[in-house]
Amino acid sequence: MAAQVANKSGTGWPRRSSQGQTDNNNGTSKFPSPSLSINRTIKLYPLTDYTFGCKEPLFEKDPSVPSRFQRMREEFDRIGMRRSVEGVLLVHEHGLPHVLLLQLGTTFFKLPGGELNAGEDGVEGLKRLLTETLGRQDGIKQEWVVEDIIGNWWRPNFEPPQYPYIPPHITKPKEHKRLFLVQLHEKALFAVPKNYKLVAAPLFELYDNSQGYGPIISSLPQSLCRFSFVYM
């Protein structure tokens, strides 16, 4: 099963340097030198380096959107705000970064991830969820390298809208979602649930396309533009 490429192009992405910050106590920089620029590089490997197999379908916990929010209400009363994590897995094709997305049906796309258990660490929870979603089935342990946090999104109410900030009138958000950059190894085998397709979507296809991909996925080009990509 080959991952599908949503589109093709070639373009570059700018580098971004950080500015030194000043300590309020003594006026000294918190960083070793404010003149040093941070050049955060990410290695991207070709899509063709990866093998994609199939495994049994992976179904959502809830049969419908209303039942999902009903369960969220019940859990909020017991354990508080839901915490969820998603992984951003990058490859390159034709000199452009692509994001691996799970496609359900013809119009729904999602990043691999899901809900954390009560008290579960975010990084370890994401590794567990990535293994459940894309982990191989031959008994060989999959190693996931979880790196930068590239996004924080908040659900203020028991409703679909999520925002990259907490609205000022919200004191108890109902969900906090963190997006992590996952550094893929040079070669890997992924097992994709039969009820999903794995799609490699180029950044230009996602940019400003919330109608097609939703606000979180369509914001990934902006979140990722601070990195310098090295094509291996």
Side-chain angles (χ1 to χ4, degrees):
M1 175 180 179
Q4 300 178 358
V5 179
N7 211 329
K8 302 177 181 180
S9 180
T11 185
W13 292 86
R15 298 177 178 179
R16 179 181 176 185
S17 62
S18 68
Q19 300 296 323
Q21 296 181 3
T22 301
D23 189 293
N24 292 331
N25 294 327
N26 55 19
T28 60
S29 172
K30 294 181 180 179
F31 301 110
S33 171
S35 63
L36 294 177
S37 62
I38 298 177
N39 182 18
R40 180 75 169 90
T41 59
I42 302 297
K43 294 180 179 179
L44 301 186
Y45 296 96
L47 178 62
T48 52
D49 278 4
Y50 301 99
T51 304
F52 303 92
C54 293
K55 62 182 177 183
E56 292 303 308
L58 182 65
F59 298 105
E60 298 287 338
K61 291 182 179 180
D62 311 296
S64 66
V65 173
S67 61
R68 178 189 179 195
F69 288 120
Q70 178 59 37
R71 181 169 65 88
M72 187 181 290
R73 287 188 184 91
E74 296 169 355
E75 293 177 348
F76 186 82
D77 292 337
R78 298 198 321 269
I79 61 177
M81 179 184 66
R82 173 177 293 181
R83 298 180 304 126
S84 58
V85 290
E86 294 181 344
V88 178
L89 285 60
L90 298 174
V91 298
H92 78 80
E93 183 83 348
H94 302 287
L96 183 71
H98 285 58
V99 181
L100 295 183
L101 301 175
L102 292 166
Q103 179 180 352
L104 182 62
T106 58
T107 60
F108 180 73
F109 299 89
K110 62 178 289 186
L111 294 165
E115 303 170 27
L116 295 174
N117 297 323
E120 186 175 25
D121 175 76
V123 172
E124 294 306 313
L126 178 58
K127 292 179 180 180
R128 170 183 62 82
L129 291 161
L130 288 174
T131 298
E132 292 176 2
T133 306
L134 295 174
R136 53 198 299 165
Q137 299 290 285
D138 55 6
I140 298 178
K141 184 179 179 181
Q142 195 94 354
E143 295 291 341
W144 303 102
V145 181
V146 180
E147 299 199 338
D148 304 60
I149 295 175
I150 61 172
N152 287 277
W153 288 76
W154 306 85
R155 189 188 305 276
N157 302 301
F158 299 112
E159 298 173 351
Q162 300 177 76
Y163 303 94
Y165 56 87
I166 302 176
H169 61 284
I170 298 297
T171 57
K172 295 182 178 180
K174 306 308 183 288
E175 182 178 5
H176 177 201
K177 177 178 294 184
R178 277 185 170 174
L179 275 58
F180 288 88
L181 181 66
V182 179
Q183 174 67 68
L184 293 178
H185 295 287
E186 182 177 358
K187 294 182 182 296
L189 168 64
F190 301 112
V192 183
K194 291 180 180 179
N195 56 328
Y196 285 96
K197 293 180 181 179
L198 194 65
V199 176
L203 293 189
F204 73 82
E205 175 71 19
L206 305 181
Y207 177 70
D208 200 26
N209 192 0
S210 60
Q211 183 176 0
Y213 293 95
I216 296 179
I217 294 177
S218 65
S219 73
L220 289 178
Q222 293 94 319
S223 300
L224 294 168
C225 71
R226 66 187 177 92
F227 299 108
S228 293
F229 297 115
V230 178
Y231 302 104
M232 307 302 291

